[in-house]
Amino acid sequence: MNNFDFYNPTHLVFGKERLGELDNLIPPAAKVLVLYGGGSVKKFGTLAKVLAGLKNHKVVEFGGIEPNPQFTTLMKAVDIVKKENIDFLLAVGGGSVIDGTKFISLAAKYERENPEELLKFGFTPIPGCKAVPLGTVVTIPATGSEMNNCAVISYNHGKYVIYSAEVFPKFSFLDPTITFSLPATQVANGVVDAFIHTTEQYLTFPVDGRFQDRTAEGIMQTLIEIGRTTIDEPTNYEARANLVVCATMALNGLTCSGVPQDWTSHMIGHELTAIFGIDHGKTLAVLLPAVLTVLKEQKRAKLLQYAERIWNITDGDEASRVDLAISKTREFFESLGIKTRLADYNVTEDKIDDVVKALQQHGMTALSESGKVTLEVSRKILEGAM
Ligand code: NZQ
Ligand code: ZN
């Protein structure tokens, strides 16, 4: 097992009808900015419950954070934070609203002139980084942003990942009933996103991380068990509760501690969203089978473990077990109603050049746990995803 640090300060508040506890978790004198997306929280009553839970606080609202949150929209909220002397941010939404709020929390405290610079740090620590404290009320079980220190921000046709320990939410409310109103396709996106967060931290090479492997396998098995049920029966509390817990735990720093990681599907997927507007979860469902096919030699030992422990594949030679595990993975995504070929999203082969060019512009030239996924290998992956 590799050396690691595990740090996660987010307080989870899980369960039904708990938004009344919001006031207790925010400092009493804090002026709160409540942030949300395009209106689902108004339509389905979540915002009203949040405001009732904040009745002892001064509150200002900011709506209109779009899916794949845009820098220019977020900067409007930064102005409000400064003008209104906001002390605490409360994101009410999915990954886009939560990520947008994380960016706002950093940009509002950024002392230099150009907050765009924040997007260039990537994995490098931001010098002198400060942030307005934030909390979340999660409306989509998918990204895990509610319990991590990462945000993905859209700017000028690119998606930029930023990290800072300062943006771990102080708390996150996980109420499965708030997610009952999600359309089936968003639920399916969430199942796939959580599943592929897990594979990105698992399908590499063995380092005898038994706890990490078995935790990852537990998340994947749960998602396979409840995936179709939670789409077909949106108000089935137990099924949705299991999705909510899996999504949060899949990307909170636990299963990646001390083991190698490979974020190839995510990094290429971000370009597919930026160029073609395909939902995040759907880009991953297209890419993962192609990534595993192209990298099956480098990932052979873990793929065999995955075949046996996740798909119960024990017969046949190694190569056919690996191939069967990859086709079972594709079938699982398709069974959730998510298409797994680029052509299904009207992306034609002649567009692959644009994606490769974008990867180059964003420095994505040595991806995967091996660093061997060059632009040429990414091209092969994209060709395999057609
Ligand atoms: O905007 P509203 O009207 O609220 O509608 C949203 C939005 O259109 C709707 N929605 C949300 N909750 C709902 C609901 N509709 C009905 N009922 C509810 N309860 O769902 C739509 C999609 O929302 P979005 O937040 O974009 O979805 P998701 O949670 O999948 O987030 C995707 C974003 O997260 C980033 C992605 O890149 C993408 O920008 N990611 C963030 C990560 C992180 N911070 O750790 C990791 C992920 O890998 C991912 O990259
Ligand atoms: Zn993801």
Side-chain angles (χ1 to χ4, degrees), residues 97-118:
V97 174
I98 299 173
D99 285 7
T101 300
K102 289 176 175 177
F103 179 78
I104 293 160
S105 92
L106 290 171
K109 292 277 185 183
Y110 193 61
E111 278 160 5
R112 304 198 1 205
E113 239 167 61
N114 300 321
E116 288 97 329
E117 288 171 4
L118 282 168

Side-chain angles (χ1 to χ4, degrees), residues 73-363:
T73 307
L74 305 175
M75 287 312 294
K76 291 181 192 156
V78 171
D79 288 343
I80 295 176
V81 173
K82 290 183 179 167
K83 244 185 244 153
E84 297 277 347
N85 293 317
I86 297 293
D87 307 294
F88 198 93
L89 305 176
L90 182 65
V92 185
S96 295
V97 174
I98 299 173
D99 285 7
T101 300
K102 289 176 175 177
F103 179 78
I104 293 160
S105 92
L106 290 171
K109 292 277 185 183
Y110 193 61
E111 278 160 5
R112 304 198 1 205
E113 239 167 61
N114 300 321
E116 288 97 329
E117 288 171 4
L118 282 168
L119 303 176
K120 309 221 168 91
F121 287 101
F123 295 91
T124 322
I126 304 166
C129 178
K130 286 189 229 141
V132 181
L134 64 107
T136 86
V137 174
V138 181
T139 66
I140 307 192
T143 65
S145 185
E146 62 275 11
M147 200 182 179
N148 70 35
N149 58 350
C150 161
V152 186
I153 305 302
S154 295
Y155 178 74
N156 264 352
H157 309 294
K159 293 192 85 175
Y160 296 85
V161 180
I162 48 177
Y163 284 87
S164 167
E166 301 297 320
V167 299
F168 273 112
K170 301 290 171 212
F171 59 78
S172 284
F173 280 74
L174 307 178
D175 178 345
T177 66
I178 290 177
T179 76
F180 286 175
S181 56
L182 279 166
T185 188
Q186 292 293 350
V187 180
N189 285 347
V191 174
V192 170
D193 198 16
F195 191 88
I196 296 181
H197 290 159
T198 311
T199 61
E200 305 269 57
Q201 303 165 85
Y202 172 88
L203 283 174
T204 56
F205 56 87
V207 292
D208 205 20
R210 298 179 194 213
F211 166 79
Q212 296 88 329
D213 279 5
R214 290 202 164 88
T215 306
E217 287 154 3
I219 293 173
M220 290 187 279
Q221 283 162 338
T222 306
L223 291 169
I224 292 165
E225 274 169 20
I226 55 90
R228 192 62 241 178
T229 310
T230 195
I231 293 168
D232 290 341
E233 302 170 22
T235 58
N236 176 330
Y237 182 83
E238 295 307 335
R240 187 58 57 86
N242 278 291
L243 172 56
V244 166
V245 171
C246 283
T248 301
M249 296 297 167
L251 195 55
N252 66 356
L254 183 63
T255 66
C256 64
S257 291
V259 303
Q261 304 175 56
D262 175 5
W263 291 92
T264 301
S265 296
H266 269 74
M267 293 307 132
I268 305 179
H270 286 165
E271 306 300 354
L272 296 181
T273 300
I275 299 173
F276 308 110
I278 305 171
D279 289 352
H280 174 66
K282 297 187 172 77
T283 66
L284 304 176
V286 163
L287 288 164
L288 182 71
V291 167
L292 298 180
T293 304
V294 172
L295 302 183
K296 62 179 151 185
E297 284 317 314
Q298 140 183 343
K299 295 178 183 297
R300 173 174 284 254
K302 275 319 253 312
L303 276 167
L304 286 166
Q305 179 177 319
Y306 170 74
E308 180 175 348
R309 296 195 191 170
I310 301 300
W311 300 110
N312 303 316
I313 301 167
T314 49
D315 291 341
D317 61 23
E318 288 191 0
S320 59
R321 270 148 47 206
V322 165
D323 288 344
L324 186 55
I326 297 172
S327 32
K328 291 266 182 203
T329 307
R330 185 188 295 283
E331 276 167 32
F332 171 52
F333 302 151
E334 294 270 351
S335 79
L336 303 173
I338 302 261
K339 298 282 182 209
T340 59
R341 298 282 181 188
L342 274 177
D344 297 321
Y345 300 91
N346 300 319
V347 177
T348 46
E349 197 138 9
D350 56 312
K351 294 286 192 305
I352 289 179
D353 277 346
D354 296 344
V355 184
V356 174
K357 218 179 282 165
L359 286 166
Q360 182 170 29
Q361 273 165 5
H362 299 137

Side-chain angles (χ1 to χ4, degrees), residues 19-28 30-35 46-61 88-92 137 171 173:
L19 293 177
E21 297 170 44
L22 270 165
D23 264 338
N24 309 337
L25 291 170
I26 300 176
K31 190 170 179 184
V32 182
L33 181 63
V34 175
L35 301 109
T46 305
L47 184 62
K49 286 186 196 160
V50 165
L51 296 177
L54 291 172
K55 59 182 180 308
N56 297 327
H57 281 88
K58 277 196 195 134
V59 171
V60 179
E61 289 179 33
F88 198 93
L89 305 176
L90 182 65
V92 185
V137 174
F171 59 78
F173 280 74

